Amino acid sequence: MKKRTNSDLSKISLPFSATRAVDKSSVFDMRAAACRKDAGKKGASRREERLDLLRIMGLLLIIVAHTDPPDWLGQLRNFDVPLMVMISGAVYGLSAGAGDPEFGSYLRKRIPRLVVPTWTFLFTFFVFSSILFQLAGKELPFPPKTMVASFLVFSGIGYIWIIRVFLLIAIAAPLFLLLHRRITTNAVFFCILLSIYSLYELTYRLYSNAGSSFLAPFFNDFLFYLIPYGCVFALGLRLPSMRKRLVGFLFLTFFCLFWLLAFASGFEATQYSKYPPQTYYLSYALSASIFLFIALPKRLASYLLSFRLISFISASTLWIYLWHILFRYCWEWYFPLVPAQLDVFAGRYLMILSLALAMTYMQKYMIEKIIIRNQLQPAKRKLLELIFLS
C-alpha cells in the first residue's frame, strides 16, 4: 500500500496545508510518483491517479463508519470496503507484468506488507492500552483471547476484519488475474463470476439454514468473505479495460437490482446484509463504486493528487487506517472528558482523522530520517520500510 523513496527529508514541510507540491525531491511526492510510474507501464498513469483518489475516498468513508455517523450518512457511505477491493483489483491488473502471475513471489511481497504493519500496530496498541489503564487503576478491557484473535485478524478489537479481507484477496489475486487474462471475452468472464457468486449465495443459504457446525470458522471468517469480495476484486481487474458503454451497463444493472431488492426488503439498511456480504449490500456498493469510477474526471483526480496532503494520504492508507483505530478507542475511553461542542459526528470525525494523519506523518518522517542519517544496510532499511512505510 505504499510508496517509497530515498529523497532528502530536509525539504519536507508539513503536508496538512493545502499548498501545491513543488518540491520534487519530497519523500512522499517521489514515492507517489514512483507508484504512478510503475502503473503507467501500460499507458495507464492518468487512470491510476483516478484509482488513487477513489482509494482515498474509500479510506475516508471507512473512517466515517467508525465515528458514529447519522443513520442517513451511515447508509450513504456503505460501499466503502467493496470500493477499496474493486480499486485494488484495478490497480493490481494495471501494475502486474505481462507474463503469468508468480504466485509465490507475489505472496512473499504482499502478505508481509499487510501482516507486519498490522502486527506492529497491534503490539503498540496493546502496550499503550495496558500502560494507560494501569495508570488509571483500571482493568484492561482486552482479555488475552481478544488479543490473540486480533493478531489472527479475526474479530478481536474490531476494525481488523478488513485486513483479513485483503489478506484473503491477496492469496487469491494471482488466480483471479490468471482468469482475467485467459478469458478475454467479457460475456464469458462475467458469466463465470456470476456462477461463482451464485454458488456462494446458495452455499450461504444452505449453511445458514443448517445451523452451526465445526466448520463454522472456515465458512464465517474465510469462505464467505473470500468468494464475494474475490468476485468484486475480479470485476476491478476487468474494469479499466472495459468500454464505457459496458461499464455503464454494469452500473445500471447493479443500480436496478439494488432498488428491486430494496423494495422487496422494505428498504432495510444494507448494513444488515454486510456480514458476510450478500446481494442486497453488494448491489448498492457496486452501483455506487462504479458510478464514482465513471463520474470522477481524470483531470480532476490528477489535479487533486498534486496537493501534498492528498498525495500523502494516497501513499499512507494502511497506517492511517491503523492509527485511526487507536484514536477511535481513545475517544471512547475519554468520552466524558470531551467538550460537548465536539461530541458530534463532525467533531469526532475530524479529530480522529486529523490525529491519524498527524501520527502517520510523524512516523514516516522519523523513519525516513533514521534511514538517511544512519545510512542503514539494505536489509535493515527494507525491514524498516516494510514495517513503517507500507
Side-chain angles (χ1 to χ4, degrees):
M1 251 181 264
K2 300 309 129 148
K3 310 168 182 175
R4 300 176 181 159
T5 190
N6 308 325
S7 52
D8 185 3
L9 291 173
S10 61
K11 301 179 181 179
I12 299 180
S13 59
L14 275 173
F16 305 114
S17 63
T19 56
R20 295 290 298 276
V22 294
D23 180 8
K24 293 184 179 180
S25 66
S26 167
V27 61
F28 301 129
D29 298 338
M30 290 293 288
R31 193 179 304 274
C35 254
R36 287 194 291 271
K37 182 179 179 181
D38 291 339
K41 289 178 181 178
K42 294 185 179 182
S45 58
R46 294 188 67 184
R47 177 173 287 154
E48 173 67 16
E49 291 176 337
R50 179 170 57 164
L51 298 176
D52 282 343
L53 194 61
L54 289 174
R55 183 168 51 208
I56 294 172
M57 293 176 63
L59 170 68
L60 298 180
L61 290 174
I62 290 174
I63 298 177
V64 166
H66 299 162
T67 49
D68 302 324
D71 290 342
W72 66 268
L73 183 57
Q75 171 57 52
L76 185 65
R77 48 105 330 235
N78 204 21
F79 61 91
D80 40 25
V81 177
L83 173 64
M84 295 281 280
V85 173
M86 186 184 79
I87 295 306
S88 295
V91 171
Y92 177 55
L94 290 171
S95 60
D100 289 340
E102 297 181 3
F103 189 78
S105 175
Y106 174 77
L107 291 184
R108 284 193 298 271
K109 293 179 181 178
R110 181 61 175 163
I111 300 300
R113 292 180 66 191
L114 287 170
V115 172
V116 175
T118 301
W119 283 357
T120 303
F121 166 77
L122 288 172
F123 177 79
T124 305
F125 176 84
F126 288 126
V127 170
F128 174 80
S129 303
S130 300
I131 296 173
L132 201 63
F133 277 82
Q134 281 185 357
L135 292 175
K138 297 181 180 179
E139 184 179 353
L140 184 67
F142 306 116
K145 183 178 180 180
T146 300
M147 296 184 184
V148 172
S150 300
F151 279 99
L152 294 177
V153 294
F154 288 101
S155 54
I157 61 172
Y159 312 119
I160 299 297
W161 72 273
I162 296 177
I163 305 298
R164 182 175 77 247
V165 168
F166 281 99
L167 281 172
L168 293 172
I169 294 301
I171 294 172
L175 299 178
F176 284 114
L177 180 62
L178 195 62
L179 176 68
H180 163 62
R181 289 178 173 175
R182 290 289 186 269
I183 309 298
T184 57
T185 306
N186 286 325
V188 176
F189 180 76
F190 286 118
C191 281
I192 293 174
L193 291 186
L194 180 60
S195 300
I196 295 173
Y197 181 81
S198 299
L199 183 61
Y200 150 73
E201 280 280 3
L202 177 62
T203 304
Y204 174 71
R205 304 299 174 188
L206 293 175
Y207 171 81
S208 300
N209 294 331
S212 61
S213 70
F214 70 97
L215 291 176
F218 171 73
F219 282 103
N220 293 331
D221 296 318
F222 293 98
L223 189 65
F224 290 161
Y225 285 86
L226 171 60
I227 296 178
Y229 282 118
C231 290
V232 174
F233 181 85
L235 171 62
L237 283 171
R238 201 71 160 197
L239 200 60
S241 62
M242 291 166 52
R243 294 183 178 180
K244 291 184 178 180
R245 286 188 178 181
L246 181 54
V247 177
F249 174 77
L250 285 178
F251 162 72
L252 289 176
T253 300
F254 288 121
F255 183 76
C256 293
L257 179 60
F258 161 68
W259 281 106
L260 178 65
L261 295 175
F263 277 111
S265 66
F267 292 94
E268 183 181 59
T270 57
Q271 184 73 10
Y272 296 110
S273 299
K274 185 176 180 179
Y275 304 107
Q278 299 159 55
T279 305
Y280 182 39
Y281 167 72
L282 288 176
S283 62
Y284 171 75
L286 288 175
S287 61
S289 299
I290 295 174
F291 173 77
L292 289 176
F293 179 81
I294 296 172
L296 180 62
K298 297 178 183 179
R299 289 185 178 181
L300 176 61
S302 180
Y303 172 76
L304 291 176
L305 281 167
S306 66
F307 287 85
R308 284 188 175 179
L309 174 59
I310 306 300
S311 180
F312 166 74
I313 297 174
S314 175
S316 314
T317 50
L318 177 57
W319 270 107
I320 292 172
Y321 179 80
L322 293 173
W323 281 123
H324 107 277
I325 299 173
L326 172 63
F327 295 116
R328 176 65 181 86
Y329 270 102
C330 287
W331 186 282
E332 180 180 325
W333 294 333
Y334 290 97
F335 175 79
L337 303 178
V338 175
Q341 294 82 354
L342 291 177
D343 186 26
V344 294
F345 163 71
R348 290 190 299 271
Y349 182 75
L350 291 176
M351 181 65 71
I352 292 171
L353 177 60
S354 298
L355 290 172
L357 288 170
M359 182 63 78
T360 305
Y361 179 85
M362 289 187 293
Q363 170 185 302
K364 287 198 164 190
Y365 183 88
M366 289 187 295
I367 294 301
E368 291 279 2
K369 213 157 193 177
I370 290 172
I371 291 175
I372 294 175
R373 285 187 175 181
N374 295 279
Q375 298 181 349
L376 298 180
Q377 296 297 321
K380 293 181 179 180
R381 174 177 173 171
K382 287 182 179 179
L383 180 61
L384 283 177
E385 289 181 340
L386 173 66
I387 297 174
F388 298 107
L389 302 182
S390 293

